């Protein structure tokens, strides 16, 4: 009888150790995914996909997994419009002392609501995420939150607010040392300023300055096309057809990065 009890005790201990190892490996995988998320979101998504769902046991692991998976999907270009996953993270971090992860959870909650088309639901967590980023003196996340707020205000036609928060995003991306994000934000600034009635000559000058930076070696083709698309629209709207035609021809030469949309096809038909 004693030997049976001993075997059972050993098996119980072994199960406990193995369970601890699984939880530890899950935590390590989550940490690896979080570490590479900003620079290599595709790798982060692959790491998260390799974690068996049965191994995400604790409430802390579930919350972090929910945050990271939402983040990775969005950063890899997926349109996430179901808030059930990110709500797990928001609820957990709202009751914990992990304010930086609460900030990120609120940001992605706002992004998901934006994707759903519910701007009223999106603006509240976006504002709170920006407040936390400001409190932490985190320029990168303040820029991201301000950029999202600008998008929300653009959709809801609060044009001056869209300009204000796009300017803030550009400023704080620069402070964070995110030069490429800063340049994309300047392109967005030209758009929202134009929508708010600012003279397009000023906006075109801003886009031209971004474009000159983008064409320097090593050329940033994605940024060039992003600036060119905006320039094209402004040239067409202002009747500067020669410049619009020149920009269109350049975009068409960048076949691997550019696909004409309805506006460009319409313009080509008129030509």
């Amino acid at each position: 009888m004693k030997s049976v009890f001993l075997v059972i005790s050993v098996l119980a201990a072994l199960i406990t150790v193995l369970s601890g190892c699984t939880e530890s490996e899950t935590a390590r995988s989550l940490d690896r995914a979080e570490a590479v998320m900003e620079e290599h979101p595709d790798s982060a998504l692959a790491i998260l996909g390799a974690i068996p769902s049965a191994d995400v046991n604790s409430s802390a692991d579930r919350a972090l997994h929910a945050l990271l998976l939402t983040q990775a999907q969005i950063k890899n270009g997926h349109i996430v419009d179901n808030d059930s996953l990110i709500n797990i993270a928001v609820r957990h971090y709202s009751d914990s002392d992990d304010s930086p992860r609460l900030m990120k959870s609120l940001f992605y909650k706002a992004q998901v609501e934006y994707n759903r088309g519910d701007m009223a639901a999106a603006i509240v967590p976006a504002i709170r995420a920006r407040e936390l980023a400001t409190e932490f003196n985190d320029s990168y996340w303040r820029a991201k939150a301000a950029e999202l707020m600008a998008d929300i205000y653009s959709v809801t036609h609060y044009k001056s607010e869209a300009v204000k928060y796009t300017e803030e995003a550009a400023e704080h991306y620069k402070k964070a040392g995110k030069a490429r994000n800063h340049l994309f934000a300047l392109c967005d600034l030209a758009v929202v300023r134009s929508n708010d009635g600012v003279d397009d000559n000023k906006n075109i000058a801003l886009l031209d300055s971004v474009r000159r930076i983008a064409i320097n070696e090593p050329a940033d083709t994605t940024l060039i096309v992003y600036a060119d698309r905006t320039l094209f629209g402004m040239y067409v709207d202002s009747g500067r057809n020669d410049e619009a035609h020149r920009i269109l021809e350049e975009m068409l030469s960048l076949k691997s990065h550019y696909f004409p949309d309805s506006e460009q096809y319409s313009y080509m038909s008129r030509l």
Side-chain angles (χ1 to χ4, degrees):
M1 189 69 181
K2 289 183 179 179
S3 62
V4 172
F5 179 77
L6 180 61
V7 170
I8 293 173
S9 299
V10 170
L11 287 173
L14 182 59
I15 290 170
T16 301
V17 170
L18 290 175
S19 175
C21 289
T22 301
E23 290 179 6
S24 179
E25 180 56 36
T26 299
R28 285 196 293 270
S29 294
L30 291 171
D31 287 343
R32 286 199 301 273
E34 189 170 32
V36 302
M37 181 67 72
E38 290 300 327
E39 298 299 327
H40 303 287
D42 54 338
S43 298
L45 189 57
I47 293 169
L48 293 167
I51 301 174
S53 57
D55 289 349
V56 186
N57 295 317
S58 70
S59 59
D61 283 351
R62 283 196 298 271
L64 183 54
H65 183 267
L67 168 59
L68 295 178
L69 185 56
T70 304
Q71 187 176 5
Q73 289 173 339
I74 289 174
K75 289 178 74 66
N76 278 282
H78 300 180
I79 306 300
V80 180
D81 56 7
N82 186 317
D83 64 356
S84 58
L85 192 62
I86 194 60
N87 283 343
I88 295 171
V90 172
R91 284 194 297 268
H92 177 84
Y93 293 119
S94 294
D95 295 329
S96 77
D97 295 327
D98 196 338
S99 295
R101 284 177 177 159
L102 173 60
M103 172 189 70
K104 295 177 185 180
S105 299
L106 289 167
F107 173 85
Y108 283 105
K109 167 70 172 174
Q111 182 68 68
V112 170
E113 297 296 350
Y114 177 87
N115 292 345
R116 284 160 54 111
D118 191 342
M119 301 305 144
I123 193 62
V124 175
I127 290 171
R128 183 58 181 141
R130 177 186 169 275
E131 289 173 346
L132 288 171
T134 303
E135 180 183 328
F136 305 147
N137 198 26
D138 189 327
S139 287
Y140 176 61
W141 279 93
R142 180 170 173 181
K144 284 172 68 69
E147 188 173 49
L148 180 54
M149 289 175 63
D151 290 341
I152 295 167
Y153 285 127
S154 289
V155 171
T156 52
H157 306 292
Y158 288 93
K159 298 175 182 178
S160 60
E161 293 297 290
V163 172
K164 171 184 172 181
Y165 286 105
T166 306
E167 288 175 339
E168 181 176 313
E171 174 191 351
H172 283 275
Y173 276 133
K174 188 174 183 179
K175 284 185 177 179
K178 300 290 184 179
R180 193 165 186 261
N181 298 80
H182 169 68
L183 293 172
F184 276 101
L186 290 179
C187 292
D188 294 339
L189 182 58
V191 174
V192 294
R193 282 180 174 174
S194 178
N195 292 339
D196 198 33
V198 174
D199 181 6
D200 269 349
N201 287 324
K202 294 181 180 178
N203 301 318
I204 288 169
L206 177 59
L207 289 163
D208 277 335
S209 67
V210 171
R211 196 175 174 283
R212 284 194 296 273
I213 295 170
I215 62 177
N216 288 333
E217 294 295 336
D220 188 335
T221 308
T222 303
L223 180 56
I224 292 170
V225 170
Y226 196 78
D228 280 353
R229 278 183 180 274
T230 310
L231 276 169
F232 174 81
M234 289 184 182
Y235 283 143
V236 170
D237 290 344
S238 59
R240 296 167 65 173
N241 291 327
D242 289 343
E243 288 94 336
H245 189 62
R246 173 180 57 80
I247 289 292
L248 181 59
E249 286 187 332
E250 178 174 290
M251 288 193 291
L252 290 171
S253 72
L254 301 170
K255 294 179 181 177
S256 62
H257 290 75
Y258 168 72
F259 302 95
D261 59 21
S262 58
E263 182 184 13
Q264 280 88 53
Y265 278 122
S266 174
Y267 178 79
M268 286 187 281
S269 297
R270 293 203 305 274
L271 284 180

